[in-house]
Amino acid sequence: MDAIHIIKKKRDGGELSRSEIQYLIEGYTVQRIPDYQMSAFLMAAQLRGMNLNETISLTRYMLNSGSILRFPGAPGPIVDKHSTGGVGDKVSLILAPLVASCGVCVPMVSGRSLGHTGGTLDKLESIPGVRTNLNIADVTRQICDFGVAMIGASKEIAPADQQIYSLRDVTANVDFIPFITASILSKKLAEGLDGLVLDVKSGCGAFMKTRENARQLAEALVEVGEHFDMPTIAWLTDMNAPLGRAIGNWLEVEEAIECLRGEGPNDIMDLSLKLSGEMIALGGLADSPEEGQEMAQNAINSGRGLDRLAKIVETQGGNPAMIHDPSLRMRSIEPYTVTVPLDVSGYVTEIDALAIGEITNSMGGGRIVIEDKIDDEAGIVLHLRPGERAIPGLPLVSLFTRKTDQIEVFENRVINAYKFSSKKSKKPQILLERLTVEGWESNS
Ligand code: URA
């Protein structure tokens, strides 16, 4: 067997065997197969397609490139959530401590922001001192002590995914369903989960722009997850407008804290509670997702969820007092208020999530390439969201940036990201459809 024959077979539309995929992934992980051959394979596969069996093999060998975590002394079922990425999505910061305070163990492996989408690791690290590069022993200890750890992928967990993801990113091979499926599931299977809840996003601010593509991704994820005996549920959710009001690392941590106090924006509260309920039920600690959701709501009401976030922060190197009083983190940027234009009257109908993510990046709040340093304080607070009344001259958004010489450019771009109408429109529905092994269920 050699790489050239495997690339040729895929180029000509053939189906690769399990051992051919094993040869490629193992060879690439130990650097026997060079980047240029892997790039050629990736593009051939994207153009010719990969079927379910090939996607399963890809997932298997990416998973086997590292260790699989095991938690023999864990105090509860091991369940995680994964989102395919969006703008203003701080759900992981809310849900991981929340469900852990209800008895679910969450060894959450998250990613960094890239392109217009945010990343949980960057948000968490905007809390001074917090580390996410824990080793397996640290994660195991945290899971056994208090049920939750929030970390990044490492050389120990699905390293093939890290290597291949970097190559996909620079060879136009990201948005291909079999690669996304194998990438997400190899990391999640490495967590040794008893169940996985997926938030598959569709819309202008998501990887999958159309609902049809997002449905296909959800179907591939559930089918492959279940193939590996990991019970998997997916929610299809809307990512046309940003989630919540805050976009930018520290601003999103502040909003996550508001949510854990029960005071967050409705869309992010509803989504966090829905996915928490699913995780609690999937772990067998509630008889139904609805009962799980009630347990999560009680953990918010009692403050247990917020206390658990403070515990994560303390154990991973930060100051837990900052979670109970976010004003302890001194702000060094003054917000600039953009007001509703004088020629507008009526209601907000849409906010372009992709544009808002890109403006946040330009203001210093995101990453264009992986080496970029993020300004944790940079970002946007949306005072008006879809469905809300826009009164000329009143605040529309606050911009947090050190690039004050470009403030007018940012202001114009933000105003262009909004659409207004004189007619009141409905608030967008975030939770669209639910997929289990039994099939799709609509949320209407
Ligand atoms: N998230 C991942 O972890 N991998 C992908 O390929 C896309 C989104």
Side-chain angles (χ1 to χ4, degrees), residues 283-296:
L285 299 180
D287 287 338
S288 66
E290 291 73 28
E291 190 187 319
Q293 194 166 326
E294 252 174 63
M295 289 167 69

Side-chain angles (χ1 to χ4, degrees), residues 104-300:
V104 176
C105 293
V106 192
M108 187 178 269
V109 179
S110 301
R112 297 203 174 273
S113 75
L114 200 60
H116 67 281
T117 64
T120 301
L121 291 185
D122 297 309
K123 293 172 198 179
L124 205 57
E125 287 174 1
S126 74
I127 306 168
V130 168
R131 287 190 313 115
T132 56
N133 59 342
L134 309 186
N135 59 33
I136 291 183
D138 291 334
V139 175
T140 311
R141 197 171 317 111
Q142 262 181 241
I143 293 297
C144 294
D145 282 358
F146 60 95
V148 52
M150 299 183 79
I151 58 163
S154 65
K155 290 208 171 61
E156 294 166 292
I157 297 168
D161 175 55
Q162 275 189 302
Q163 284 172 251
I164 295 171
Y165 194 95
S166 309
L167 200 58
R168 283 168 61 205
D169 200 31
V170 291
T171 55
N173 282 301
V174 171
D175 48 355
F176 178 52
I177 288 176
F179 292 164
I180 299 177
T181 304
S183 165
I184 292 175
L185 291 181
S186 59
K187 289 185 290 252
K188 294 292 148 180
L189 287 161
E191 293 176 15
L193 299 179
D194 299 319
L196 175 65
V197 175
L198 292 157
D199 177 359
V200 180
K201 300 203 173 289
S202 92
C204 72
F207 272 124
M208 298 289 123
K209 304 291 178 205
T210 66
R211 186 142 166 188
E212 198 35 51
N213 279 348
R215 281 179 122 243
Q216 285 169 8
L217 174 58
E219 284 166 8
L221 285 162
V222 169
E223 194 155 5
V224 177
E226 294 279 345
H227 175 90
F228 284 92
D229 293 325
M230 176 173 66
T232 306
I233 289 174
W235 268 96
L236 197 73
T237 68
D238 182 81
M239 183 30 77
N240 281 302
L243 267 176
R245 295 189 187 276
I247 301 99
N249 288 338
W250 173 248
L251 294 169
E252 293 193 41
V253 170
E254 285 183 315
E255 189 166 82
I257 292 170
E258 275 173 37
C259 292
L260 283 167
R261 288 190 179 134
E263 295 159 3
N266 288 344
D267 60 342
I268 198 101
M269 291 294 294
D270 290 351
L271 180 56
S272 305
L273 284 168
K274 178 66 84 179
L275 299 178
S276 297
E278 292 282 7
M279 286 174 76
I280 295 168
L282 200 56
L285 299 180
D287 287 338
S288 66
E290 291 73 28
E291 190 187 319
Q293 194 166 326
E294 252 174 63
M295 289 167 69
Q297 182 67 61
N298 289 339
I300 288 182

Side-chain angles (χ1 to χ4, degrees), residues 365-418:
R367 204 181 261 117
I368 310 289
V369 292
I370 202 83
E371 295 80 19
D372 282 350
K373 173 99 190 70
I374 296 182
D375 181 346
D376 286 329
E377 282 186 49
I380 304 181
V381 173
L382 310 171
H383 298 300
L384 295 184
R385 292 193 24 85
E388 293 177 344
R389 185 143 169 70
I391 299 174
L394 290 191
L396 180 65
V397 302
S398 293
L399 303 179
F400 294 75
T401 182
R402 285 175 224 278
K403 301 184 183 176
T404 46
D405 55 328
Q406 296 172 49
I407 204 79
E408 275 175 29
V409 176
F410 299 139
E411 175 165 13
N412 287 333
R413 286 174 67 188
V414 161
I415 290 173
N416 286 333
Y418 269 81

